[in-house]
């Protein structure tokens, strides 16, 4: 049974990448004016800004900072590159702390031709290496399982079960999972994995969008919830039943939407959110 | 450890769709002249032919008929359409029997917006409904788990584990699994699932190709083994260790390759096969 519809925008968070053509300032002002409750800041949008000043501006506009996107990309063919990734993730943690973001989403990484089993080991080791700095900075890291179609060069972590295995191995209050419906909606074990991860305290972020039929681009053809075949509201029900009470984050990459009017797109986001999430 | 390279083309099977621009007769003659051991016939290539005459011609050219592609597409929103799919699959079985193909590959189907759990139930029920006719016709059905990126409208069966669950439920010597590396290479449980399915006698077909980075089309941008990141030879080793000794079937959908010279493509297929499978 699906949960009740959502009646307001207080738990809606929008990712800056969703309205990619907007500068960070435009995103902040427009989200706040629309009544959106939260914002997830992408590092591209933050480039050239002082993270702490950006954080002040966001909070001053009345928005909650939900997370910083993104860290990760741990696997590499040589030790120097793996160490470089660890150093970079420590910088991302500093950036999140300065911004005032309580959480960093990890796109864990993959290298074409590097065996997935090795990449998976390197990911767990990389996260273990940066976790103490995350804890000291009071910033949580959230492993985002990515759709198996990204297993070549974006993430070797492709299911909730794999993300949970790393959480179980590293067992830290500063490590959790970011569930994006786009990546895991097809998983036959989704409901039970959500239940298990929620009970373990690992469900740390919930991203929504939709899978369009046909999908014409592997990266940038996502739809708003309701524009595709993902049972977003049902999955929200599972997530909430598992104890999650955070934001519902709209993260849409869409060439088509980015080419259009962003103010209209934001109106669509809030309307479709209330109707379909 | 990877298995030894393959030294000849006797266990190479090519799918007619791989060289889609060729008529069936051209495919037969050219595959046979190249020393290819087997052919999997797609129904599109068979259209307008008498299946029994086509079968005679193929055997006369010295090729083994490995399978007929494809049956399936069982889920639908209404009972009449589901019954229509069952009837159609019985016709595919008749066609395979007339052709002399020992096996039919099942692309199980999915309907955007139809809950995956329902689609999965309808698939098992649909297969159960046609299995007696398959057995009477001495034609095996092989469930092909499809990549999760096809869960919207092509197949709600996306892992070896799901295919195995249907085999375990229906338990028939006329039901097995067609493993295509493209669909399952990312699965963290792939090696153990292959082992389990092989021991159960369910591994019935082995399809090879490769995942290109970047992949520019969800359907028609596959590579030959060696052109991408899938450890094809390693997976062949797992499959053979699990007892499989059938053909290695090259099934490549590629707009780029189809636009080129098919005779050259066939030379590439045999060369890359010996080097990378």
């Amino acid at each position: 049974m699906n949960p009740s519809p959502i009646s307001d925008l207080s738990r809606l968070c929008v990712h800056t990448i969703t309205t990619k053509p907007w500068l960070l300032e435009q995103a902040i002002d427009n989200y706040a004016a629309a009544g959106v409750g939260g914002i997830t800041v992408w590092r591209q949008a933050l480039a050239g800004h002082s993270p702490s000043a950006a954080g002040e501006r966001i909070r001053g506009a009345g928005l909650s900072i939900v997370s910083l996107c993104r860290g990760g990309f741990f696997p590499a063919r040589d030790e120097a590159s793996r160490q470089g990734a660890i150093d970079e993730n420590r910088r991302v943690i500093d950036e999140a702390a300065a911004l005032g973001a309580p959480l960093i989403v990890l796109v864990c990484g993959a290298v074409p031709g590097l065996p997935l089993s090795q990449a998976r080991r390197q990911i767990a080791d990389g996260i273990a290496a940066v976790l103490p700095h995350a804890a000291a900075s009071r910033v949580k890291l959230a492993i985002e399982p990515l759709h198996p179609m990204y297993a070549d060069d974006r993430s070797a972590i492709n299911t909730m079960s794999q993300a949970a295995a790393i959480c179980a191995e590293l067992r830290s209050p500063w490590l959790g999972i970011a569930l994006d419906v786009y990546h895991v909606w097809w998983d036959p074990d989704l409901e039970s994995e959500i239940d298990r991860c929620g009970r373990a305290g690992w469900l740390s972020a919930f991203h929504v969008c939709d899978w369009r039929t046909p999908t014409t681009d592997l990266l940038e053809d996502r739809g708003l919830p309701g524009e595709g075949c993902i049972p977003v509201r049902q999955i929200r029900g599972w997530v909430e039943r598992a104890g999650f009470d955070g934001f519902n984050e709209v993260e849409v990459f869409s060439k088509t939407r980015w080419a259009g009017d962003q103010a209209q797109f934001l109106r669509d986001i809030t309307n479709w959110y209330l109707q379909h999430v």
Side-chain angles (χ1 to χ4, degrees), chain A:
Chain A
M1 215 179 71
N2 285 352
S4 304
I6 295 171
S7 56
D8 65 64
L9 305 179
S10 59
R11 282 179 60 206
L12 167 61
C13 165
V14 180
H15 281 228
T16 58
I17 191 83
T18 300
T19 56
K20 186 176 166 187
W22 276 343
L23 299 174
L24 179 60
E25 293 77 6
Q26 292 175 291
I28 296 168
D29 294 348
N30 288 308
Y31 296 178
V36 171
I39 186 171
T40 278
V41 180
W42 277 56
R43 292 186 81 203
Q44 293 91 318
L46 203 54
H49 294 75
S50 142
S52 57
E56 277 178 39
R57 169 147 191 174
I58 293 170
R59 285 183 293 275
L63 291 167
S64 294
I65 303 176
V66 177
S67 64
L68 177 65
C69 268
R70 56 200 191 184
F73 291 99
F74 293 104
R77 290 195 177 277
D78 60 277
E79 176 59 30
S81 303
R82 286 196 292 279
Q83 186 57 49
I86 287 168
D87 296 341
E88 177 66 10
N89 276 279
R90 290 200 179 108
R91 284 190 289 274
V92 181
I93 292 166
D94 292 338
E95 219 169 280
L99 179 68
L103 183 138
I104 293 167
V105 176
L106 299 182
V107 170
C108 293
V111 178
L114 182 73
L116 288 173
S117 56
Q118 283 181 38
R120 287 161 183 161
R121 187 64 253 155
Q122 292 176 10
I123 288 165
D125 291 347
I127 294 173
V130 299
L131 256 179
H133 188 56
S137 310
R138 306 190 66 77
V139 172
K140 193 166 196 167
L141 307 178
I143 301 167
E144 182 175 30
L146 250 57
H147 195 284
M149 71 182 171
Y150 304 123
D152 56 341
D153 66 349
R154 284 174 191 267
S155 182
I157 304 300
N158 308 108
T159 62
M160 292 285 288
S161 163
Q162 288 175 283
I166 298 178
C167 289
E169 180 186 336
L170 302 182
R171 209 161 274 284
S172 158
W174 300 100
L175 182 61
I177 298 173
L179 185 169
D180 184 322
V181 298
Y182 196 73
H183 299 305
V184 298
W185 75 278
W186 58 271
D187 187 341
D189 297 325
L190 183 59
E191 185 177 1
S192 59
E193 287 294 336
I194 286 174
D195 187 62
R196 161 168 87 116
C197 293
R199 286 175 200 282
W202 296 331
L203 272 188
S204 308
F206 181 52
H207 297 183
V208 297
C209 66
D210 216 332
W211 183 284
R212 290 159 49 82
T213 303
T215 289
T216 59
D217 186 284
L218 276 79
L219 280 171
E220 301 177 344
D221 190 31
R222 296 188 181 195
L224 286 177
E227 289 186 312
C229 61
I230 301 178
V232 178
R233 181 163 289 169
Q234 182 181 44
I235 298 174
R236 175 171 69 82
W238 295 343
V239 162
E240 291 178 355
R241 208 174 56 207
F244 181 79
D245 60 0
F247 281 84
N248 303 302
E249 308 182 39
V250 173
E251 182 191 30
V252 172
F253 315 141
S254 166
K255 278 178 188 159
T256 314
R257 290 294 194 167
W258 291 335
D261 174 39
Q262 299 304 290
Q264 179 57 50
F265 184 26
L266 184 58
R267 284 191 292 275
D268 291 344
I269 290 170
T270 56
N271 286 335
W272 288 73
Y273 173 77
L274 293 173
Q275 284 174 53
H276 298 282
V277 175

